[in-house]
Amino acid sequence: MLKELFEWKKIRGAVQCAVYLIAVMFLQGVLFTRLSVFGVKGIITPAAVAVMGMQMGGVKGAVFGIFAGIFSDMSFSENTVLFTLLFPAMGFLVGFLSEFYINKNFFTFMVMSVACSILTALAQVFRAVLLSGAELLPALLTALLQILVSLLPMAVLYLPFRKRNANE
């Protein structure tokens, strides 16, 4: 009777997504708060949203993006809803593209991750320039350096999904 009540495959998938999100937030919070290049710290959460959108589809990518956005907004010192609004849109868009238009391989993941990181960096620059009065050129240089610092760790986020894509 209990077996008929729950869909264990869906529960297992939700638990796996939660564990992946916890691991990403742990890496973001522990590793990237310690490492910086010229005072700039990387961000890997957009790449995690991209890979989940690619692997799980648009709707599940958006749901993962909501949770990733909420936890990212809670973990950063600025108290905004920037990531809570941005990450679900990115998760849905990447998921939609992967369902209909793009392949699910490492190269595509890196392209989508860099695109999501650029979008995130531009949103951060837009917020800093408009709300905090920051200068545009230094903010853009900081955003570029943030993306460059995040490139190698972004590639590591694909590792749990490489066997899954090799079987498809």
Side-chain angles (χ1 to χ4, degrees), residues 7-8 10 16-17 28-30 33 35 43 48 52 72 78 96 105 111 114 122 130 134 144 148 156 158:
E7 292 188 43
W8 294 106
K10 288 184 180 179
Q16 287 174 338
C17 287
Q28 182 68 51
V30 172
T33 56
L35 297 176
I43 182 169
M52 290 306 283
S72 293
E78 307 90 27
F96 175 79
N105 57 28
V111 169
V114 170
L122 288 177
L130 287 183
L144 178 64
L148 292 175
V156 174
Y158 186 77

Side-chain angles (χ1 to χ4, degrees), residues 47-109:
V49 171
V51 76
M52 290 306 283
M54 280 181 69
Q55 299 300 322
M56 306 301 274
V59 174
K60 291 178 183 176
V63 171
F64 183 84
I66 287 172
F67 286 106
I70 289 169
F71 290 125
S72 293
D73 281 331
M74 287 176 15
S75 67
F76 289 115
S77 60
E78 307 90 27
N79 211 0
T80 66
V81 295
L82 176 69
F83 299 129
T84 304
L85 297 175
L86 187 62
F87 289 168
M90 290 188 313
F92 178 77
L93 182 63
V94 172
F96 175 79
L97 290 174
S98 70
E99 286 182 47
F100 297 108
Y101 298 110
I102 60 175
N103 294 327
K104 295 178 181 180
N105 57 28
F106 178 73
F107 178 75
T108 308
F109 160 71

